[in-house]
Amino acid sequence: MNWLEHILGSNWKITPAGGSTGEAYYAQNGGKRLFLKRNSSPFLAVLSAEGIVPKLMWTKRLENGDVITAQDWLEGHELSAEEMKHPRVAALLSKIHHSSELLDMLMRLGKHPLTPHEVLTDLKENQKILGQVEPRIEIHQAIHYLENHVQEVEFARHVVCHCDTNHNNWLLSSRDQLYLIDWDNAMVADPALDLGMLLYSYIPQQDWDRWLNQYGVEPNAHLFKRMTWYAVSQSLAFIQWHMMRGEYKEASNRMIKLGEMMIHHEII
């Protein structure tokens, strides 16, 4: 953390913020509080301007080319699974998906629209390696399902997708402002990618129509098919990610949830 002390000075108390990259920190000096991250995407500035993440305070470039960003560190809490049902979650996700500013910026940063075929190819390539370590029938069934339906889930309209709408990434500040944080994996893709995982994880199926109306879309069979396809593909991607990191307990937990989802919705 010497680079942080060099930027901030020795009067700041710096603590790791956790996360998968290990490149995020909290800094405090009296009443001043910052959230610092190394090599955040330039996309962060647009997210801040749109009020989707806490305010970006400053950006500094180190001599080695690394970029440090400092955001306002807010009092607040991560949403609970129950709080994910609130209409404000649907409203904020709709704002993100309908923002031309976010889409323009992500496209300028070189993100091309992600297609279902690309998603499937990546999953199969990863599984060639992981299947040698721990072959699982649930994985085989899920990939078989994705293969059988990949032609049916093409969709022309692409938006900015967060790609990890887990409740831990939703922050409600003490000032009652809702944010969606941790944008490292953002993609340009079918909005069903975000919708599928969120609804399957947090919204009872009998409430899907009402939630989607709050989001601002008319539910239809093709949307449901795309949501299911992407929910399965994202579940597989997270399982693979945890296995590659040696986090087998978390991979196993997600495997159980994938199996339950596939049985409940008659995917297998």
Side-chain angles (χ1 to χ4, degrees), residues 128-147:
K128 283 181 183 178
I129 302 170
L130 294 172
Q132 299 172 13
V133 179
E134 188 182 2
R136 295 290 295 264
I137 186 65
E138 298 96 327
I139 301 292
H140 174 77
Q141 291 170 334
I143 289 179
H144 185 64
Y145 162 78
L146 295 175
E147 288 176 328

Side-chain angles (χ1 to χ4, degrees), residues 16-158:
S20 60
T21 62
E23 296 286 353
Y25 300 89
Y26 296 119
Q28 186 168 6
N29 182 2
K32 300 177 182 178
R33 292 150 52 96
L34 297 172
F35 174 75
L36 300 152
K37 196 164 186 179
R38 185 182 351 214
N39 292 334
S40 288
S41 167
F43 191 44
L44 188 64
V46 184
L47 291 166
S48 172
E50 293 276 307
I52 293 163
V53 300
K55 184 178 179 182
L56 180 63
M57 307 301 288
W58 48 257
T59 300
K60 294 184 180 180
R61 184 177 293 276
L62 301 181
E63 291 180 0
N64 66 357
D66 287 348
V67 175
I68 310 303
T69 53
Q71 289 175 264
D72 196 10
W73 172 17
L74 300 173
E75 291 287 352
H77 70 273
E78 299 171 349
L79 292 191
S80 66
E82 183 64 27
E83 288 174 314
M84 291 293 289
K85 300 174 184 176
H86 197 281
R88 290 177 66 179
V89 172
L92 182 53
L93 192 60
S94 179
K95 174 182 177 179
I96 292 165
H97 286 174
H98 289 89
S99 171
S100 58
E101 289 81 8
L102 294 181
L103 182 59
D104 289 345
M105 171 56 84
L106 210 52
M107 294 289 281
R108 286 204 299 272
L109 291 173
K111 296 284 188 179
H112 71 276
L114 185 67
T115 69
H117 285 89
E118 288 174 312
V119 171
L120 180 58
T121 297
D122 286 344
L123 290 171
K124 291 170 69 175
E125 288 297 318
N126 289 338
Q127 202 55 41
K128 283 181 183 178
I129 302 170
L130 294 172
Q132 299 172 13
V133 179
E134 188 182 2
R136 295 290 295 264
I137 186 65
E138 298 96 327
I139 301 292
H140 174 77
Q141 291 170 334
I143 289 179
H144 185 64
Y145 162 78
L146 295 175
E147 288 176 328
N148 285 346
H149 296 279
V150 66
Q151 301 287 357
E152 304 165 17
V153 294
E154 293 287 350
F155 190 63
R157 178 175 168 262
H158 295 99

Side-chain angles (χ1 to χ4, degrees), residues 1 101 129 139 142 162 190 198 204 232 234 264:
M1 290 188 287
E101 289 81 8
I129 302 170
I139 301 292
H162 181 273
D190 182 343
L198 192 153
V232 172
Q234 273 199 294
H264 182 71

